């Protein structure tokens, strides 16, 4: 628990402040690159520079864009919007995505191209179910696009400092694109993706998610890793995005209750309180 309560505590209940503190731990946890580096025992930057096959980045970018185009619509179509929110079935999705990783991990880039659409769909389906468990409506275009936002969240680096958090900085970058895309989707539907607003948002999401996927391919390129741990890598990815989804949609739920500004100030003051109490930031505890 945080010994120093933020000054905004009067505006939020102790229970909601605890929820926000937990969300911050989830959102500012070590990024996927740091987690992969711990797994393979080598900096991901080294693997990206020396281990990826020539042309891999182009193949990955193309595969990610194709996967994103259809995956969220397929993912949410299998969830009944009218169903009462309940606990998200995270274990089921994690087991399923591990199976896709095991199937595709032995075939390099060819396996990735075949695996990625299904893996992305499973990740987004889990993210959408977590969103619904936090009171979001999956027939709301803003919720649908907020699920895509989760794929851009990689956690903070250990060098981040100051009250400005990695999470809110990432949201700010996408804010205008999300607003414009939400208005378009509300009028034309998610599958009408040719409008400039949607193209711009999907390009941003794809470019950031491609970086995460490149890290995965780099890790799989280590001979001892690639043959045996496609399932392990996919499990790590799923758990990472599930944590990000829990944090993101918890923050959104609190924003609906208290307003975005109140929640943001409390979030940032939690970071200040941690530093004053000598706690290390979540990003530096890997």
């Amino acid at each position: 628990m945080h010994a120093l309560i933020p000054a905004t505590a009067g505006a939020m209940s102790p229970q909601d402040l605890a929820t926000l503190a937990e969300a911050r731990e989830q959102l500012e946890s070590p990024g996927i690159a740091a987690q992969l580096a711990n797994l393979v025992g080598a900096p991901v930057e080294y693997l990206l520079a020396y281990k990826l096959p020539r042309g891999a980045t182009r193949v990955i970018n193309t595969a990610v864009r194709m996967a994103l185009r259809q995956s969220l619509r397929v993912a949410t179509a299998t969830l009944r919007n009218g169903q009462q929110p309940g606990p998200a079935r995270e274990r089921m999705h994690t087991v399923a995505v591990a199976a896709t990783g095991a199937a595709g991990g032995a075939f390099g880039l060819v396996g990735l191209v075949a695996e990625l659409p299904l893996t992305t769909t499973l990740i987004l389906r889990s993210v959408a179910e977590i969103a619904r468990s936090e009171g979001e409506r999956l027939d709301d275009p803003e919720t649908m696009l907020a699920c895509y936002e989760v794929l851009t969240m990689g956690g903070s680096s250990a060098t981040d400092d100051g009250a400005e958090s990695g999470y809110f900085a990432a949201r700010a970058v996408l804010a205008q694109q999300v607003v414009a895309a939400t208005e378009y989707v509300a009028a034309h539907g998610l599958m009408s993706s040719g409008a400039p607003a949607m193209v711009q948002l999907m390009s941003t999401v794809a470019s950031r998610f491609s970086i995460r996927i490149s890290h995965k391919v780099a890790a799989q390129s280590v001979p001892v890793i690639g043959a045996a741990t496609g399932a392990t890598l996919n499990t790590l990815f799923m758990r990472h995005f599930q944590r990000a989804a829990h944090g993101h949609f918890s923050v959104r739920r609190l924003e609906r209750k208290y307003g975005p500004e109140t929640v943001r100030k409390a979030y940032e003051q939690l970071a200040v309180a941690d530093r004053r109490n000598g706690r290390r930031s979540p990003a530096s505890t890997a």
Side-chain angles (χ1 to χ4, degrees), residues 54-83:
R54 181 174 299 177
T57 299
R58 178 174 52 81
V59 172
I60 291 168
N61 288 341
T62 301
V64 165
R65 290 175 189 275
M66 292 178 63
L68 289 176
R69 190 171 302 162
Q70 298 289 339
S71 56
L72 185 59
R73 181 63 176 265
V74 173
T76 56
T78 58
L79 297 173
R80 292 180 297 170
N81 291 325
Q83 182 178 329

Side-chain angles (χ1 to χ4, degrees), residues 126-201:
S126 186
V127 167
E129 198 168 72
I130 290 168
R132 188 178 62 185
S133 75
E134 291 290 344
E136 303 270 358
R137 288 190 57 87
L138 298 184
D139 56 355
D140 183 343
E142 185 179 352
T143 300
M144 303 280 278
L145 296 177
C147 291
Y148 278 125
E149 283 184 290
V150 172
L151 298 186
T152 72
M153 296 174 186
S156 300
S157 74
T159 60
D160 289 342
D161 199 8
E164 181 68 17
S165 74
Y167 167 66
F168 279 104
R171 279 183 70 179
V173 168
L174 290 175
Q176 290 185 345
Q177 295 179 24
V178 169
V179 169
T182 298
E183 293 174 352
Y184 181 83
V185 171
H188 303 282
L190 186 64
M191 296 308 293
S192 301
S193 56
M198 280 299 296
V199 170
Q200 185 177 15
L201 177 62

